Amino acid sequence: MKIDVLTCFPDMITPVVNESMVKRAQEKGLVEIRLHDLRDFSGDRHRKTDDYPFGGGDGMVMTPQPLYDGIRTLLKQAPEGVRSRVIFPTPDGVVFDQRMAETLAGEEHLIFIGGHYKGIDQRIRDLLITDEISIGDYVLTAGELSSMVIMDAVIRLIPGVLGEINSALSDSFSEPLLDCPWYTRPEVFEGMAVPEVLLSGHHANIEAWRKEERIRKTKERRPDMWNAYQDKGDVENG
Ligand code: ADE
């Protein structure tokens, strides 16, 4: 997969993509990430990329020209026949979830736009953006942060990125229940012992305990998910 990020702040993203899982995914050749400074596409002699909103109001709007030229340049660089998705993270987008991450993980080329201030000129959204995605009902100052969240969730699902594919499959949200608690050594820490069943070596009992814990946590924290899980069970069981 190729990922291009068009941003006024490439330095915000560099350290994140050069660490840990995303770094390894690049080293394995499973993903290629390129960062592009939006100011390089500005026709303005001060490399400006924003301006005051028509009609008045506080804050600035990102101007269409640098985004138009930048996105079109990146689209032209995509290999023949590849459908590129141009993603604009924004609090008024569709709310991101694991299903969306799975869909995006199957794509060959993603372009992320780092939005700032009041956002970007609507004409760019109408002309070139294919996906407007929110990472939740709160407002960040930098679209780079939401781009990194979406990128991380997507890249880890590309086959070969995680050593243990099972660990991605049993994540909270890959299945319709939240994850269970996990323990490692030592057996007792600060006077707190690991649940005995996990030391029993009895696989069926361990699986049953994990399932109970997942159900308990889901009921407690996410009644919406619990209701959906029960409805699905009713359908499957006739
Ligand atoms: N940019 C600012 N806030 C955001 C959010 N909640 N989701 C996606 N992009 C954003």
Side-chain angles (χ1 to χ4, degrees):
M1 175 189 284
K2 286 192 174 359
I3 299 181
D4 287 297
V5 188
L6 192 55
T7 165
C8 286
F9 304 98
D11 291 349
M12 254 178 107
I13 304 175
T14 309
V16 174
V17 297
N18 288 331
E19 287 288 347
S20 183
M21 182 272 304
V22 180
K23 178 185 178 191
R24 284 200 304 279
Q26 291 178 91
E27 286 168 352
K28 286 188 198 167
L30 297 168
V31 65
E32 183 191 338
I33 300 174
R34 301 189 308 163
L35 308 176
H36 311 272
D37 192 334
L38 182 64
R39 294 189 188 105
D40 292 344
F41 295 97
S42 169
D44 179 80
R45 68 192 165 97
H46 300 295
R47 289 161 55 84
K48 244 176 76 136
T49 56
D50 60 353
D51 213 330
Y52 295 99
F54 279 128
D58 292 334
M60 304 292 265
V61 178
M62 290 171 71
T63 51
Q65 177 272 316
L67 287 163
Y68 188 75
D69 291 347
I71 295 169
R72 289 189 6 132
T73 301
L74 299 176
L75 287 172
K76 278 188 206 137
Q77 289 170 3
E80 273 281 308
V82 164
R83 183 181 62 138
S84 307
R85 287 178 78 155
V86 186
I87 299 169
F88 174 49
T90 172
D92 59 0
V94 180
V95 178
F96 188 58
D97 64 9
Q98 192 66 18
R99 297 286 93 74
M100 231 187 262
E102 284 162 8
T103 307
L104 293 176
E107 298 288 341
E108 287 179 67
H109 184 211
L110 306 178
I111 301 174
F112 284 90
I113 310 301
H116 272 254
Y117 325 112
K118 268 187 148 23
I120 65 179
D121 190 286
Q122 181 62 34
R123 289 161 294 187
I124 293 299
R125 296 171 77 153
D126 295 342
L127 279 171
L128 293 172
I129 302 297
T130 60
D131 298 83
E132 300 187 341
I133 302 179
S134 164
I135 61 163
D137 288 342
Y138 45 83
V139 181
L140 303 166
T141 53
E144 284 72 15
L145 293 169
S146 15
S147 294
M148 287 188 277
V149 167
I150 299 167
M151 276 163 55
D152 187 276
V154 168
I155 292 170
R156 68 191 288 285
L157 295 177
I158 297 172
V161 168
L162 292 186
E164 274 291 333
I165 190 64
N166 284 343
S167 89
L169 291 178
S170 68
D171 282 341
S172 295
F173 302 111
S174 276
E175 287 193 275
L177 294 173
L178 297 181
D179 207 358
C180 60
W182 295 89
Y183 296 87
T184 185
R185 279 179 290 201
E187 274 182 40
V188 180
F189 181 72
E190 292 284 305
M192 298 160 83
V194 168
E196 245 179 70
V197 62
L198 299 178
L199 311 173
S200 68
H202 192 299
H203 290 297
N205 287 356
I206 292 172
E207 279 319 302
W209 179 86
R210 287 183 172 155
K211 180 82 181 265
E212 272 169 35
E213 286 297 309
R214 298 180 69 194
I215 289 174
R216 180 189 59 73
K217 206 190 271 185
T218 309
K219 275 183 180 170
E220 198 177 286
R221 299 187 176 174
R222 293 293 301 271
D224 57 323
M225 278 174 75
W226 175 242
N227 288 338
Y229 180 77
Q230 282 179 306
D231 292 347
K232 194 163 164 264
D234 289 346
V235 171
E236 277 169 7
N237 301 328

